[in-house]
């Protein structure tokens, strides 16, 4: 008898945890497990700002899937469409070959992409902080601005190269601004022709508070830390227009600036749009067991799914965080095992264990289990949590060693030339224009199935 095929789309926190648990709980004879992902690693997203600042090497946050998974078949590509009627995922491999991956059970965990708005110039001049390539590019770009400003005699050019804007007052934006500001403060000491006072970092957000999830006290503490470092924090403000050398804010200010880092939230992967299914603010509507009600054998979780938050109730859905994604992956694996063994499925229920925000150096704010911390105690909690959350010993050791090296030997300011001559548009790094329409999905699925 042919084994049931479980196809997992996405190798992030949700997809990886689901695959790991399935391997432990299912015998090889019970199911065939496949994972569709364009990269051979799980990206540890919370530490991308440390990669951008050069505190961690890119390899430190790239958790090897082949070290983590033992018998899951990895398909090197990205799903560009789903045809649930034929039970087929249309996959574009990294060679651009398009293939059909059949399934009996489908786990949709494609994650999210950077959320953007209809702001003039934003698609062409904004940089994201969602992928490893983006973080590495931003580090090169920021150091290049210092190099070029130091070599220029034009005061206007210097001014535009030494102003940096980060949009988004959530965790990603706050940590990005904090870590990169520390980088430029340390780096400018190596540029005798540059006045440190000319370097200015701006953190802006349309919300009235910085990281409101932390509470008023810790959010205010984080803002004071940033402002004491010289970061200009503007709340209730957004971007009105972006140019090659200027950024205009909604409060009327126009800054000379060639670096806009956009971290203003996330949106579900465009893959979700290829299904004719109900959504909640762009995320797939699922039951508490993470089933997609319209389609047999289809489940969704993580950033791409609106999983009911039973701990909060009142129709709330789980926020798109790594903590929820990883735990949903485990629960969904248990439900798949139950489905295969004709047992009842269980709902996802999880109370948030707390929040950690690493602002670089000795600065951090954390709220583990509701306890408010700042300074070194918060930093120890934050970094301890990140190390424990990593799934391979090599990643734990490499990350810890990088932190120790940075704390004792200081920063390096090396520009590697990564994609130096390529555009840095969001769609290029996050492949948001790679997906098929619903009609195209059906056509491709039928054609590929006909080929056998």
């Amino acid at each position: 008898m042919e084994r049931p095929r479980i196809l997992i789309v996405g190798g992030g926190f949700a997809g990886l945890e689901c695959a790991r648990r399935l391997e432990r709980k299912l015998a090889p004879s019970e199911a065939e497990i496949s994972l569709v992902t364009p990269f051979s690693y799980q990206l540890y997203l919370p530490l991308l700002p440390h990669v951008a600042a050069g505190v961690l090497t890119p390899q430190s946050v790239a958790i090897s899937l082949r070290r983590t998974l033992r018998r899951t078949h990895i398909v090197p590509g990205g799903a560009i469409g789903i045809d649930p009627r034929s039970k087929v995922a249309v996959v574009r491999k990294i060679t651009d070959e398009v293939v059909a991956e059949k399934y009996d059970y489908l786990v949709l965990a494609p994650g999210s992409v950077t959320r953007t708005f209809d702001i003039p110039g934003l698609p062409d001049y904004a940089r994201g902080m969602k992928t490893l390539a983006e973080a590495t590019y931003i580090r090169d770009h920021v150091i290049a601005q210092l190099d070029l400003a130091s070599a220029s005699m034009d005061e206007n050019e210097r001014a535009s190269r030494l102003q940096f804007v980060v949009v988004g007052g959530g965790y990603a934006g706050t940590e990005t601004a904090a870590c990169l500001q520390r980088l430029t403060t340390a780096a400018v000491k190596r540029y005798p022709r540059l006045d440190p006072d000319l370097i200015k970092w701006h953190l802006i957000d349309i919300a009235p508070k910085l990281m409101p999830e932390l509470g008023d006290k810790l959010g205010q503490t984080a803002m004071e830390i940033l402002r004491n470092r010289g970061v200009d924090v503007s709340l209730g403000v957004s971007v009105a227009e972006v140019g090659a050398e200027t950024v205009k804010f909604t409060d009327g200010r126009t800054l000379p600036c060639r670096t806009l880092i956009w971290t203003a939230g996330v949106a579900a992967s465009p893959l979700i749009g290829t299904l004719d299914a109900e959504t909640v603010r762009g995320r797939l509507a699922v039951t508490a067991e993470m089933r997609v009600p319209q389609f047999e054998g289809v489940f969704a979780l993580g950033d791409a799914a609106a999983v009911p938050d039973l701990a909060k109730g009142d129709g709330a859905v789980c926020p798109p965080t790594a903590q929820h994604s990883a735990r949903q992956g485990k629960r969904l694996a248990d439900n798949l095992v139950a489905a295969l063994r004709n047992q009842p499925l269980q709902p996802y229920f999880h109370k948030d264990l707390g929040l950690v925000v690493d602002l670089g150096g000795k600065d951090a704010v954390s709220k583990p289990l509701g306890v408010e911390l700042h300074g070194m105690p918060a930093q120890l909690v934050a970094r301890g949590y990140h190390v424990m959350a990593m799934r391979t010993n090599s990643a734990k050791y490499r990350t810890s060693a990088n932190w120790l090296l940075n704390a004792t030997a200081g920063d390096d300011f090396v520009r590697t030339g990564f994609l130096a001559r390529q555009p840095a548009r969001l769609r290029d790094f996050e492949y948001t224009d790679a997906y098929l329409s619903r009609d195209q999905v059906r056509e491709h699925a039928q054609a590929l199935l006909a080929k056998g």
Side-chain angles (χ1 to χ4, degrees), residues 61-275:
V61 300
I63 315 298
S64 170
L65 294 179
R66 298 195 184 276
R67 273 183 175 266
T68 311
L69 302 174
R70 302 302 181 199
R71 58 186 176 87
T72 297
H73 171 58
I74 297 176
V75 181
I80 56 175
I82 304 294
D83 184 0
R85 293 167 182 80
S86 302
K87 290 200 168 185
V88 165
V90 180
V91 176
R92 178 177 285 126
K93 290 186 176 180
I94 58 175
T95 58
D96 279 340
E97 177 191 2
V98 177
V99 298
E101 290 290 333
K102 299 179 184 178
Y103 64 84
D104 295 296
Y105 295 93
L106 177 66
V107 177
L108 289 172
S112 56
V113 296
T114 300
R115 181 182 61 184
T116 58
F117 301 96
D118 188 18
I119 297 173
L122 185 68
D124 295 318
Y125 300 113
R127 279 89 181 174
M129 184 60 77
K130 199 76 174 65
T131 68
L132 195 56
E134 284 175 316
T136 309
Y137 181 96
I138 285 173
R139 171 174 168 77
D140 266 18
H141 173 81
V142 168
I143 295 173
Q145 301 315 298
L146 300 183
D147 289 344
L148 291 166
S150 178
S152 176
M153 295 290 115
D154 186 324
E155 291 186 7
N156 292 330
E157 180 184 354
R158 279 191 171 191
S160 65
R161 293 196 183 281
L162 297 179
Q163 297 249 31
F164 305 90
V165 175
V166 179
V167 183
Y171 303 110
T174 302
E175 290 184 334
T176 296
C179 290
L180 286 173
Q181 186 272 339
R182 286 190 78 251
L183 170 68
T184 55
T185 298
V188 75
K189 298 173 185 176
R190 306 290 181 176
Y191 292 83
R193 294 182 59 188
L194 290 183
D195 181 354
D197 293 336
L198 293 178
I199 299 176
K200 192 69 177 178
W201 282 87
H202 303 264
L203 176 62
I204 72 168
D205 195 287
I206 195 65
K209 295 180 181 179
L210 196 68
M211 294 182 294
E213 299 90 343
L214 283 173
D216 291 344
K217 184 178 178 182
L218 283 185
Q220 185 65 31
T221 298
M223 188 157 63
E224 289 174 0
I225 290 171
L226 292 176
R227 284 178 170 165
N228 288 338
R229 288 193 196 168
V231 178
D232 180 36
V233 181
S234 299
L235 300 176
V237 178
S238 188
V239 172
E241 186 176 350
V242 188
E245 300 179 14
T246 58
V247 175
K248 185 176 181 180
F249 295 160
T250 53
D251 61 5
R253 286 180 293 162
T254 298
L255 294 181
C257 175
R258 303 194 190 207
T259 306
L260 177 73
I261 302 173
W262 183 266
T263 67
V266 297
S269 166
L271 178 66
I272 301 308
T274 70
L275 286 90

Side-chain angles (χ1 to χ4, degrees), residues 309-312 323-324 327 348-354 369:
D309 191 340
L310 300 182
K312 290 184 178 179
Q323 189 178 135
H324 275 294
R327 286 164 175 77
Y348 171 74
F349 182 92
H350 171 69
K351 287 187 177 181
D352 205 315
L353 298 180
L369 301 175

Side-chain angles (χ1 to χ4, degrees), residues 7 37 52 72 106 172 194 207 225 244 282 304 313 320 346 379 398-399 406 413:
L7 182 65
T37 175
T72 297
L106 177 66
L194 290 183
I225 290 171
Q346 299 298 319
Q379 186 65 281
R398 188 175 288 113
T399 298
N406 182 260
F413 317 111

Side-chain angles (χ1 to χ4, degrees), residues 5 8 12 41 51 58 65 104 153 186 190 197 218 247 309 328 332 342-343 348 354 379 391 396 412 417 421:
R5 290 166 292 198
I8 303 171
Y41 59 81
V51 174
L65 294 179
D104 295 296
M153 295 290 115
R190 306 290 181 176
D197 293 336
L218 283 185
V247 175
D309 191 340
Q328 288 168 10
L332 182 49
N342 296 314
Q343 297 170 352
Y348 171 74
Q379 186 65 281
R391 287 306 177 200
K396 295 176 191 285
D412 283 324
R421 300 292 181 182

